[in-house]
Amino acid sequence: METEVLIIGAGVTGVGLARDLALRGVHCIVVEAKDINAGASGANNGLLHSGARYVSNDPVSAKECRDEARLLKTLAPTCIEDTGGLFVAVAGDDETYIAEFPRLCARHGIPVKELQRQEALELEPALADTLIAAYLVQDAAINPFRLSLENITQAEAHGARLMTHTEVIRFELDSSRIRAAHLRQNNGREIIVKPQQVVNATGPWAANVASLAGLSIPLAYYQGTLLITQTRVTTAVINHLRPPADGDIISPGGTVSLVGTTSVALDAPSPCRPTVAEVDLLVTEAAAMVPVLGDMRYVRAFAGVRPLPAAEQTTDGRSLSRSFVVLDHHEAGVSNFITVTGGKLTTFRLMAEKTADLVCSRLGVTAPCLTGTVPLSVTEINQWTEPGLAPRIWLKQPNPKEPLLCECEMVPLSAVDQIIDNLMAKGETLDLSAIGLRSRVGKGSCQGAFCGFRMIAHLYERGELESDQGLNRLRQFLERRWHGLRPILWGPQLAQEELQEALHCGLFGLEM
Amino acid sequence: MTYSENKKVDLVVVGAGLAGMAAALFALESGLKTVLLGSTAGEMFFASGALDLLGIHPIEQQKRWEKPWVGISSLIEDCPEHPYARLGLENIRNGWNKFLDILRRAELGYRGWPERNIMLATCAGTFKITHQVPETMWPGVIGFKEKLATLIIGFEGMKDFSAVQMVNTLRDRWPGLRAQRLKFPYPLTGVERQNVFMAEALTSPEVLAKMAKAIISSLEREELVGVPAILGLRQSQAVTAELERQIGVPVFEIPTMPPSVPGLRLRDAIEQELLRLRAVLMQGGRAVAINQNGRKCLDVVVQSGQSQEAIGTRGIVLATGRFLGGGLVAGRNGIREALLDLPVYQPEKRKDWHLHSFLDPRGHPVNRAGLEVDDLLRPLGPDGRCACENLFVAGSLLAHQDWKRMKCGSGLAIATAYGAVQSFTNHC
């Protein structure tokens, strides 16, 4: 198999790069060890930063965020809810920092408006009455799943190819370049790709992939954990107005809110699992801004790993820049190999552009970058990632004959069929997580206890599963959801877990 | 709040899951004036309808017991704190047998082998280890044992049951299975409580006859037919018999995802029996407090809608269940008993509540949390002595058991209900 560019990693950077190159007429193949957004791209607070968060300690990121957020709001509005954002301080917060904030925003050209206490409370009634300062900024919420799916959909429409569940196992190197990449798919099949250029866009796994080419990249790893509430608590993004710390951000995600994040140093990019200690910290910190979060029902926690380019690891990595790096490995002796890592969801397009510029200059391609002007595609099949969409459709036009496969999120069977057909057409793996990431199935309060079983039953009815394959798929799915459930099991969600265990162990004996 | 001495009863049972209902039955049988508090809609709705006694012990080794009573003896020896050990073998046997007698009298047929467990095929294609199953499930138990050629029926649009899944998953262990999907002979809705809706539809002879006809035309050489457990609500045996008569081969029901129709039948049968025995059922009532005088409970304060009343009583059985039932309340920093704030045995920290794998065979430590009791099943107070002389605990609220993993849920509910009532009768 030959291609101009082999992109490793289908996070938002990888698929963003694929789209950028495809729009310039460059052929590329994206290989991904798991599935789209399997790493940090699918485990973040879905926040389109206005840049205000970084004004005090990371001006480069602040400016990048400012410009990219503006651009994405016009080019990818379907993926964005323009919620606006608030920076709020409560009694006890550093007043010098508060006073400095609007000045810093102004210096970096980031629009900010001071709000009177009463105004802020009217805008966001859930805010604590210990509020002492509030500033309005242009933060927004972005759906990272829709974003990545649209990027790859549009890339594919322009000739790019995606291979999920395909891992790079080794590179064939000659004196100065990667001649071929050996890939292994999860069915055991091995494939050899001969690319002209190779881009390593594997986020926190960048050092692992680079080592396959005999290179070393200094990366520091920080786990960030977030919580998902059962219901949405604020209209806008709420940021804590203080130097970046844990539990600073409450961001809306359609029908829910996300509370994040922590920053815990790790030795390696995996395993990363949310812990009880992180969850407790987040609840306490977030409740200081929005008290109702202290008694909220949380449906899940999740964690991602931030790869921060750094020589040395600090305790929490807060002081390291959130900007990105494009590493040209030419000087290290591998002339057709580039690594892009670091950065933020908000700046993914810019990262892709800078990387694509380098790739194109090497390929001798002169076509300009189009991602700054061409709108992102809007595809029907990708709409099911949108929280609250299925209930809205259902309420507008209830169809009592159509079974809902997922009752929590009201996902109809036909939507799931559409997703399965699409996955099958592309020859992708039909596991429950693949369906889950392309829809809202398994994301409601039952967390897959009911709909997980239903999806398996449905796959059997369609003839996609045979013998006892379904049992292992179900076990895998339940175990994967468990990582996110375990640390938030108290109150009603623990009762929900008890029901799930009564069902899956008491009735079905899946642990036996 | 009103309080009248003439309202005084012998026993108030708080909680109307299987344990609470069984306790009320045992109490009424011994002639006690009994009030049963709480709605039965909760956990019974999710119960499979099969009655487990003991399937696995020790769970860490996943040792399965074909003979549950031998397993119980071994459990009693290994785990002196398990509620079964508190009760002793004889109490467990007496309670269990008495409960089955009551079901027989209520004309809800149950079947099993006297000393052996049953392997009951579920709709997931797995087997549930249990001890007694509804009569309507029994031909399936025999069918699996003898590997009979069997037709499994599924219905279009029934989203929690796939005959294809069951047949495929069981293929190696039950080779004579074949799946057939039929159109349900009555308009189906996609909404919740689908199983109950279908069961209700099949109580109509016309609908049943249509279904029989469809099954007949899909039968090949099969000697047995399995259908999801939706063959009628109350009169399931009659509905099943009629279906068998029309299609000419034996029929059995297969346990499904909740809502469980066999669970509802069990609840209804017990409820009828309770009413026949003149129990006072306060289904809308919720116990909000218990007034005590020293180590003696005097009454239970019951909230019904806006009004509160205190029911004077000689004794109380607490059968409020765990987190789902509301007997235990878990906060971020610990687990409390909901009604009296009795001490709860629990892991020291929340991080130790659950293991890192959901299906870890050792079972999650939090499952063993609950109330610790003395040999009379009276909960222990903070001082380690019995908290109240006339307060007894039954069911899953008890500590030191993991019923979901040990497959002992019904046995635990029934035997501890029996033990609690025995203790009350003998000591109060």
Side-chain angles (χ1 to χ4, degrees):
Chain A
M1 199 181 280
E2 294 193 1
T3 182
E4 289 181 276
V5 185
L6 175 68
I7 301 168
I8 307 166
V12 72
T13 314
V15 296
L17 177 60
R19 174 171 175 262
D20 190 313
L21 290 171
L23 289 175
R24 299 194 207 206
V26 176
H27 185 263
C28 55
I29 295 175
V30 184
V31 294
E32 161 60 49
K34 293 176 184 162
D35 203 341
I36 295 196
N37 282 12
S41 301
N44 54 69
N45 41 25
L47 178 50
L48 194 66
H49 277 288
S50 61
R53 178 154 170 93
Y54 300 112
V55 289
S56 74
N57 67 346
D58 192 355
V60 175
S61 291
K63 283 184 199 145
E64 286 170 358
C65 286
R66 177 197 66 194
D67 297 342
E68 285 301 306
R70 275 187 196 149
L71 201 53
L72 290 175
K73 282 180 190 178
T74 60
L75 296 177
T78 324
C79 302
I80 294 167
E81 184 187 346
D82 202 351
T83 59
L86 288 180
F87 274 76
V88 300
V90 292
D93 284 332
D94 178 1
E95 309 223 352
T96 331
Y97 189 84
I98 299 169
E100 194 80 333
F101 178 72
R103 212 177 45 76
L104 287 170
C105 286
R107 184 196 291 171
H108 301 300
I110 291 164
V112 63
K113 183 187 166 219
E114 185 173 3
L115 296 181
Q116 294 310 304
R117 188 170 177 281
Q118 203 48 43
E119 262 181 301
L121 289 169
E122 269 164 33
L123 218 53
E124 291 293 352
L127 287 174
D129 52 15
T130 52
L131 186 75
I132 55 169
Y135 292 92
L136 194 61
V137 298
Q138 295 180 343
D139 287 344
I142 184 162
N143 175 350
F145 294 99
R146 181 91 196 245
L147 183 68
S148 287
L149 288 168
E150 292 295 358
N151 267 281
I152 194 66
T153 303
Q154 202 169 10
E156 285 172 318
H158 286 80
R161 184 162 171 211
L162 169 69
M163 294 157 78
T164 59
H165 301 284
T166 303
E167 200 171 351
V168 177
I169 47 171
R170 82 186 172 86
F171 290 131
E172 243 176 74
L173 294 152
D174 62 23
S175 59
S176 66
R177 58 195 300 278
I178 295 173
R179 199 169 47 213
H182 290 239
L183 315 177
R184 188 189 294 133
Q185 300 193 297
N186 62 345
N187 56 13
R189 203 163 77 94
E190 291 199 7
I191 300 170
I192 297 172
V193 176
K194 293 188 173 158
Q196 294 175 37
Q197 297 290 322
V198 179
V199 179
N200 172 13
T202 52
W205 289 274
N208 304 34
V209 171
S211 73
L212 296 177
L215 303 171
S216 93
I217 299 176
L219 273 189
Y221 309 108
Y222 295 92
Q223 165 167 319
T225 287
L226 295 107
L227 298 175
I228 307 174
T229 60
Q230 194 186 26
T231 52
R232 180 166 168 171
V233 294
T234 63
T235 311
V237 177
I238 308 293
N239 301 267
H240 204 150
L241 179 47
R242 63 178 181 187
D246 292 336
D248 271 354
I249 302 179
I250 301 156
S251 50
T255 50
V256 301
S257 289
L258 306 174
V259 176
T261 61
T262 58
S263 190
V264 178
L266 297 179
D267 296 331
S270 59
C272 96
R273 304 254 185 276
T275 64
V276 168
E278 286 176 291
V279 168
D280 282 344
L281 179 67
L282 288 174
V283 170
T284 310
E285 290 295 330
M289 293 186 288
V290 174
V292 69
L293 289 172
D295 306 310
M296 175 58 58
R297 177 171 177 181
Y298 294 93
V299 296
R300 196 159 65 86
F302 59 94
V305 177
R306 299 182 190 93
L308 300 185
E312 273 174 58
Q313 200 142 2
T314 65
T315 22
D316 70 352
R318 293 281 180 205
S319 59
L320 299 176
S321 171
R322 296 303 204 254
S323 188
F324 61 90
V325 290
V326 179
L327 301 171
D328 185 341
H329 299 302
H330 179 78
E331 280 167 29
V334 190
S335 63
N336 63 342
F337 189 39
I338 297 165
T339 293
V340 53
T341 189
K344 309 200 54 63
L345 179 60
T346 305
T347 58
F348 87 96
R349 193 211 61 83
L350 181 64
M351 294 167 72
E353 177 179 341
K354 296 292 178 207
T355 312
D357 284 348
L358 180 57
V359 169
C360 288
S361 76
R362 289 199 185 154
L363 290 171
V365 172
T366 52
C369 172
L370 294 176
T371 59
T373 47
V374 174
L376 186 63
S377 62
V378 178
T379 319
E380 197 200 337
I381 185 79
N382 296 331
Q383 70 177 337
W384 301 107
T385 55
E386 196 182 313
L389 173 83
R392 277 206 304 280
I393 293 178
W394 181 266
L395 288 174
K396 216 183 283 172
Q397 205 172 23
N399 179 0
K401 287 231 168 95
E402 163 137 77
L404 292 177
L405 192 132
C406 165
E407 278 156 14
C408 304
E409 295 283 326
M410 303 186 83
V411 184
L413 197 61
S414 60
V416 175
D417 274 329
Q418 212 183 348
I419 291 166
I420 295 173
D421 291 340
N422 197 43
L423 284 170
M424 303 268 304
K426 291 184 184 170
E428 287 181 41
T429 307
L430 258 187
D431 64 11
L432 297 191
S433 302
I435 301 170
L437 104 77
R438 289 162 179 83
S439 67
R440 299 286 304 165
V441 174
K443 292 179 179 148
S445 47
C446 95
Q447 285 292 302
F450 285 77
C451 53
F453 178 79
R454 266 182 207 154
M455 277 198 285
I456 292 291
H458 185 60
L459 287 173
Y460 271 111
E461 289 290 322
R462 283 182 51 128
E464 320 290 4
L465 293 174
E466 50 186 42
S467 66
D468 60 359
Q469 278 178 329
L471 283 182
N472 283 332
R473 300 267 175 108
L474 184 58
R475 287 189 182 108
Q476 273 168 16
F477 180 72
L478 293 171
E479 291 291 7
R480 226 179 273 185
R481 298 314 278 176
W482 181 251
H483 298 315
L485 283 173
R486 189 183 162 274
I488 55 101
L489 292 178
W490 71 84
Q493 206 59 37
L494 181 56
Q496 178 70 44
E497 192 280 328
E498 196 170 52
L499 172 59
Q500 162 164 340
E501 206 180 331
L503 204 59
H504 292 296
C505 299
L507 176 59
F508 293 151
L510 289 184
E511 87 284 16
M512 288 160 54
Chain B
M1 190 162 77
T2 60
Y3 182 87
S4 54
E5 194 51 33
N6 60 7
K7 277 205 114 168
K8 188 155 173 172
V9 299
D10 293 316
L11 195 64
V12 174
V13 179
V14 186
L18 185 56
M21 291 205 292
L25 276 178
F26 292 134
L28 291 158
E29 290 258 299
S30 354
L32 301 174
K33 192 175 174 194
T34 307
V35 173
L36 179 63
L37 272 183
S39 151
T40 50
E43 289 166 62
M44 295 294 286
F45 196 64
F46 300 114
S48 64
L51 302 177
D52 303 352
L53 185 51
L54 180 76
I56 300 181
H57 165 75
I59 53 174
E60 296 81 357
Q61 290 146 36
Q62 286 289 297
K63 184 173 162 69
R64 299 181 194 188
W65 292 90
E66 201 190 338
K67 297 183 171 174
W69 295 105
V70 181
I72 288 176
S73 301
S74 159
L75 169 66
I76 288 175
E77 212 160 279
D78 301 341
C79 310
E81 289 181 305
H82 190 282
Y84 272 168
R86 294 271 173 209
L87 289 164
L89 199 59
E90 199 187 321
N91 266 329
I92 305 170
R93 262 207 199 263
N94 287 344
W96 182 262
N97 289 336
K98 205 161 175 193
F99 187 79
L100 292 180
D101 284 345
I102 295 169
L103 289 186
R104 222 162 282 137
R105 212 173 51 214
E107 290 178 354
L108 187 64
Y110 267 78
R111 274 286 266 282
W113 288 294
E115 298 292 328
R116 278 170 43 214
N117 269 335
I118 289 169
M119 295 293 275
L120 178 66
T122 73
C123 66
T126 55
F127 288 93
K128 177 177 168 60
I129 306 183
T130 190
H131 192 51
Q132 288 273 328
V133 296
E135 193 75 53
T136 53
M137 292 183 186
W138 184 252
V141 175
I142 301 297
F144 169 61
K145 192 165 167 262
E146 295 176 2
K147 309 288 181 281
L148 298 181
T150 301
L151 182 67
I152 305 288
I153 303 288
F155 296 102
E156 277 167 32
M158 184 179 187
K159 53 193 170 182
D160 285 332
F161 187 95
S162 160
V164 181
Q165 172 182 18
M166 186 170 167
V167 167
N168 269 282
T169 310
L170 284 174
R171 184 153 286 155
D172 291 343
R173 299 177 72 177
W174 192 348
L177 288 183
R178 187 168 67 86
Q180 178 73 48
R181 181 167 38 192
L182 300 177
K183 207 166 141 50
F184 192 71
Y186 193 80
L188 262 189
T189 61
V191 297
E192 287 177 35
R193 290 174 63 90
Q194 202 178 32
N195 301 352
V196 183
F197 176 86
M198 295 168 90
E200 207 151 8
L202 287 176
T203 56
S204 144
E206 294 78 44
V207 179
L208 189 70
K210 270 195 208 165
M211 186 170 101
K213 236 175 118 185
I215 295 177
I216 290 167
S217 59
S218 21
L219 264 179
E220 289 172 6
R221 289 161 301 119
E222 288 84 5
E223 320 158 69
L224 184 63
V225 170
V227 294
I230 53 165
L231 293 179
L233 282 175
R234 284 182 186 80
Q235 304 298 325
S236 57
Q237 279 167 269
V239 173
T240 309
E242 180 55 25
L243 184 62
E244 287 177 334
R245 194 188 64 77
Q246 292 188 24
I247 66 177
V249 295
V251 172
F252 68 97
E253 287 192 308
I254 300 156
T256 64
M257 295 269 283
S260 152
V261 174
L264 290 177
R265 289 176 195 144
L266 180 60
R267 182 195 81 180
D268 283 358
I270 300 175
E271 218 168 78
Q272 290 309 310
E273 197 57 20
L274 286 169
L275 289 170
R276 197 182 64 77
L277 293 166
R278 298 186 187 286
V280 179
L281 303 183
M282 298 182 69
Q283 298 187 333
R286 194 167 61 86
V288 290
I290 290 175
N291 288 310
Q292 287 167 260
N293 181 8
R295 287 188 188 264
K296 209 164 168 92
C297 298
L298 302 176
D299 61 34
V300 180
V301 181
V302 181
Q303 175 108 35
S304 315
Q306 293 298 315
S307 66
Q308 276 196 355
E309 66 172 325
I311 302 172
T313 184
R314 289 173 49 227
I316 297 169
V317 173
L318 200 57
T320 44
R322 303 179 68 76
F323 307 104
L324 192 60
L328 295 177
V329 179
R332 272 199 293 138
N333 299 316
I335 300 167
R336 285 188 314 105
E337 187 278 316
L339 190 54
L340 286 160
D341 207 8
L342 291 162
V344 176
Y345 166 82
Q346 57 188 292
E348 203 177 320
K349 297 218 159 98
R350 194 172 100 242
K351 71 175 176 56
D352 302 320
W353 287 4
H354 295 97
L355 301 172
H356 288 273
S357 156
F358 171 57
L359 296 171
D360 192 316
R362 291 171 294 174
H364 303 294
V366 74
N367 291 353
R368 292 169 189 270
L371 298 190
E372 295 192 294
V373 290
D374 64 11
D375 282 343
L376 296 179
L377 300 182
R378 295 180 302 191
L380 304 183
D383 56 2
R385 292 168 52 210
C386 104
C388 290
E389 290 160 13
N390 56 345
L391 175 69
F392 307 88
V393 184
S396 62
L397 178 59
L398 288 159
H400 304 294
Q401 50 83 21
D402 188 343
W403 65 268
K404 300 178 218 92
R405 305 296 181 120
M406 302 175 86
K407 322 297 173 194
C408 69
S410 327
L412 179 82
I414 293 163
T416 54
Y418 180 77
V421 173
Q422 286 294 109
S423 296
F424 170 77
T425 327
N426 297 338
H427 297 271
C428 297

